[in-house]
Amino acid sequence: METVILKNLVLNEDYSRKVVPFLQEEYFQDKAERTVFNIVSKFLLKYNNIPTKDAVLISLGDDKTLADSEFKKCVAISDEMYKEGEKSDTEWLVEHTEKFCKEKAIYNGIMASIGIIEGKDKEQTQNAIPEIMSKALSVSFDTRVGHDFFEDVDERYEYYHRVEERVPFDLEMLNLITGGGVRKKTLNVVMAASGVGKSAFLCHHAAACLTQNLNVLYITLEMSEEEIAKRIDANLLDTDIHVLEKMPLAMYENKVNNLKKTCRGKLIIKEYPTAAANVTHFRNLMEELKIKKKFKPDIIIVDYLNICSCARFKMGNGMNSYTYVKGIAEELRGLAKQFNVPLWSATQVNREGAKSSDMEMTDTSESFGLPQTTDFFIALIETEELAQNGQLMVKQLKNRGNDTTKNRKFLIGVNKSKMKFYDVENSNNNLVNANNTNEESFGSGSGPLVFSDSFGIKKNKAVNWVFEDAPK
């Protein structure tokens, strides 16, 4: 097949233009064939034309790395390539060349994996093997080279009017800023200081999805499976988390059985040791759940991102936290795409962010590469005044599906004893006007205020604020 490919690369221009973008030099095991292929493909890419036989021979003569025997073999291959013969059907050639590429890619992937297992590859760990084989198995001749603005009008119009599947919230403001919920194949992250409510938020969302009859996979690397289940129990049973421990067994079973009648979704909680699991473990878990329980998640929650391990990189040996954590985020986003689900996780703030009452993306701990990778990124902010009122401020930090300048900040209610979040009454009046240059954060309380001239704003101009103490 290598001989057929090389011959048609110089005799069939239509064929060569279709296959050269997909052919790789490592598919040719013989050094002479690989050398000739490199000359032909580089000439085509550089000059946008098929090289003549003389051009190939001159290039071979310029290659000082070839031994005499290798040079003679390359010349013989070139002579055979330019001999006119019976022409093969181009469609047949492309089809069999694609098959050749797939077989070679799989073979090379297997050999690379063996090298990793035997310790010959010092840079990659065995966790990289699934990705190597996944790439090898995905080799195909995709003839589509982009969206033609004028030719693909119908396709574009259909995309504009396509209703995307989303996983909605049970909180009005979050649905408003996401257009009805987060999309599938996305990485969504909530950031907060320690103790503010990251895990509580993830547990609440898991409970909300369960009541929507969705299948939820909750992966925890911080708390035990029982502790996560306890928080979701408190939410769904609308019971103080401390009361659960004192509840009689008969009453508890009765409440759960009544809940089971209204929820057709399933919830699986899986615990892994901190920093000991990565996307490879998560993929294996999902395959196992599919086989053993016929369970396919509609949403995945990983609690939380920074304490996962990375499948591609090892910590240490000069590895920095920016690259490592960004690698974890990219792998989780890839997992969401592979299984066509939204994936939720959480992250901590850095020391400066923990002291701030108005976080930014730069307050993300360990790696700014994390928010760069996310599709939807929000911060939960708690001050003493907000905590006294049982409220948290939500701030949009990144939203690929909407404009973050609209409804940038708003309040939600929180009942930490029941692990529940809820909409604040007249939530539109709890928005901070992100567009006003005189914006300040006044703490708790809400409502439209009318400012005097002393604020530098025209009299009777109503602006919505979050405030601590109304100015006199």
Side-chain angles (χ1 to χ4, degrees):
M1 191 64 201
E2 287 91 332
T3 305
V4 174
I5 290 172
L6 291 172
K7 188 176 185 69
N8 282 278
L9 281 178
V10 296
L11 296 180
N12 188 335
E13 186 173 348
D14 184 36
Y15 165 79
S16 61
R17 293 189 182 279
K18 286 182 178 179
V19 302
V20 162
F22 306 104
L23 286 168
Q24 304 291 330
E25 63 173 295
E26 57 263 27
Y27 296 164
F28 298 85
Q29 290 185 329
D30 183 83
K31 184 179 179 180
E33 291 175 340
R34 189 161 60 245
T35 301
V36 174
F37 166 74
N38 272 330
I39 291 171
V40 174
S41 62
K42 286 177 181 177
F43 189 98
L44 180 62
L45 292 171
K46 185 175 182 178
Y47 300 106
N48 195 28
N49 209 344
I50 303 296
T52 63
K53 183 179 178 180
D54 287 341
V56 173
L57 292 176
I58 290 170
S59 296
L60 287 172
D62 291 338
D63 191 342
K64 304 304 181 185
T65 64
L66 293 174
D68 287 343
S69 58
E70 291 170 341
F71 175 78
K72 290 176 181 177
K73 191 173 181 180
C74 289
V75 171
I77 292 171
S78 301
D79 290 339
E80 187 62 32
M81 282 166 50
Y82 285 91
K83 283 182 181 178
E84 288 287 348
E86 187 178 349
K87 290 188 176 180
S88 300
D89 180 74
T90 301
E91 188 176 340
W92 180 92
L93 280 170
V94 172
E95 182 182 330
H96 280 75
T97 304
E98 181 176 14
K99 182 182 177 184
F100 165 82
C101 291
K102 286 181 177 180
E103 290 173 351
K104 289 295 182 180
I106 293 171
Y107 174 81
N108 291 341
I110 292 171
M111 296 307 295
S113 300
I114 292 172
I116 293 172
I117 292 169
E118 293 179 346
K120 295 176 183 177
D121 189 332
K122 303 299 182 183
E123 295 183 359
Q124 300 188 89
T125 68
Q126 292 188 20
N127 288 329
I129 292 175
E131 186 176 354
I132 291 171
M133 293 308 302
S134 177
K135 286 182 178 179
L137 292 166
S138 65
V139 169
S140 66
F141 284 14
D142 185 1
T143 56
R144 182 178 171 83
V145 291
H147 180 85
D148 190 310
F149 186 80
F150 291 109
E151 296 296 327
D152 297 332
V153 173
D154 292 341
E155 181 182 326
R156 190 162 68 250
Y157 184 84
E158 182 187 348
Y159 170 79
Y160 292 160
H161 293 81
R162 188 184 307 154
V163 178
E164 286 188 289
E165 261 189 284
R166 296 175 181 266
V167 174
F169 301 91
D170 63 340
L171 298 169
E172 178 187 349
M173 288 305 301
L174 287 174
N175 277 328
L176 177 65
I177 64 174
T178 57
V182 295
R183 294 169 296 168
K184 294 185 176 183
K185 301 182 180 182
T186 56
L187 174 62
N188 310 277
V189 176
V190 56
M191 178 173 72
S194 180
V196 170
K198 298 185 300 296
S199 293
F201 178 87
L202 295 177
C203 287
H204 173 90
H205 191 49
C209 291
L210 191 61
T211 58
Q212 296 173 47
N213 302 321
L214 299 175
N215 289 337
V216 182
L217 175 59
Y218 196 115
I219 297 170
T220 172
L221 295 98
E222 185 175 36
M223 289 180 280
S224 68
E225 295 169 359
E226 292 78 13
E227 278 299 315
I228 295 297
K230 183 179 179 182
R231 290 168 174 237
I232 296 174
D233 257 337
N235 181 293
L236 290 172
L237 302 180
D238 197 27
T239 303
D240 191 298
I241 196 166
H242 302 295
V243 173
L244 285 171
E245 302 167 359
K246 304 172 185 177
M247 189 179 291
L249 176 61
M251 180 185 294
Y252 174 71
E253 287 182 337
N254 183 55
K255 284 178 174 286
V256 173
N257 287 331
N258 288 335
L259 180 65
K260 190 176 179 180
K261 294 174 184 177
T262 60
C263 293
R264 290 193 295 274
K266 289 184 178 181
L267 169 64
I268 301 292
I269 306 168
K270 175 62 179 176
E271 175 188 357
Y272 288 99
T274 300
N278 55 54
V279 290
T280 304
H281 300 92
F282 305 158
R283 284 192 184 97
N284 292 339
L285 170 65
M286 292 171 72
E287 291 299 328
E288 195 174 354
L289 288 170
K290 183 179 177 181
I291 295 168
K292 293 181 178 179
K293 288 184 171 286
K294 296 181 179 179
F295 175 88
K296 182 181 178 183
D298 298 303
I299 179 172
I300 301 172
I301 297 173
V302 179
D303 190 3
Y304 62 96
L305 190 148
N306 297 66
I307 54 176
C308 294
S309 63
C310 184
R312 294 173 293 168
F313 308 123
K314 281 185 177 180
M315 203 58 184
N317 298 324
M319 175 59 64
N320 58 72
S321 62
Y322 174 90
T323 303
Y324 192 79
V325 174
K326 187 174 189 292
I328 296 170
E330 289 170 346
E331 290 169 358
L332 289 179
R333 192 167 187 265
L335 186 72
K337 283 182 172 291
Q338 180 183 351
F339 290 94
N340 192 33
V341 296
L343 191 148
W344 271 93
S345 193
T347 189
Q348 295 272 20
V349 296
N350 57 25
R351 187 178 299 177
E352 290 74 19
K355 301 173 185 176
S356 174
S357 60
D358 190 15
M359 297 176 191
E360 299 293 342
M361 280 203 292
T362 50
D363 293 317
T364 309
S365 69
E366 296 188 278
S367 174
F368 189 65
L370 191 161
Q372 289 176 329
T373 309
T374 58
D375 297 282
F376 180 56
F377 191 39
I378 58 173
L380 300 180
I381 302 169
E382 183 181 66
T383 64
E384 288 185 13
E385 292 78 14
L386 288 172
Q388 288 173 4
N389 289 333
Q391 295 177 339
L392 291 174
M393 181 187 290
V394 179
K395 181 177 181 180
Q396 290 189 76
L397 299 177
K398 182 178 181 181
N399 189 344
R400 280 187 171 145
N402 219 329
D403 183 358
T404 56
T405 62
K406 296 178 180 178
N407 304 324
R408 186 168 179 80
K409 302 177 188 176
F410 53 91
L411 297 181
I412 57 173
V414 57
N415 184 334
K416 291 187 178 180
S417 63
K418 293 184 178 181
M419 297 293 154
K420 292 177 80 77
F421 291 78
Y422 54 88
D423 290 310
V424 176
E425 190 176 354
N426 297 323
S427 57
N428 285 336
N429 287 332
N430 294 307
L431 304 179
V432 174
N433 184 351
N435 298 321
N436 196 287
T437 55
N438 294 292
E439 175 184 353
E440 293 178 336
S441 178
F442 293 103
S444 63
S446 64
L449 301 180
V450 178
F451 292 97
S452 67
D453 285 334
S454 60
F455 282 85
I457 302 174
K458 185 178 178 181
K459 275 187 178 183
N460 301 323
K461 181 178 179 181
V463 186
N464 293 328
W465 298 90
V466 176
F467 58 95
E468 285 176 2
D469 301 306
K472 294 179 181 178

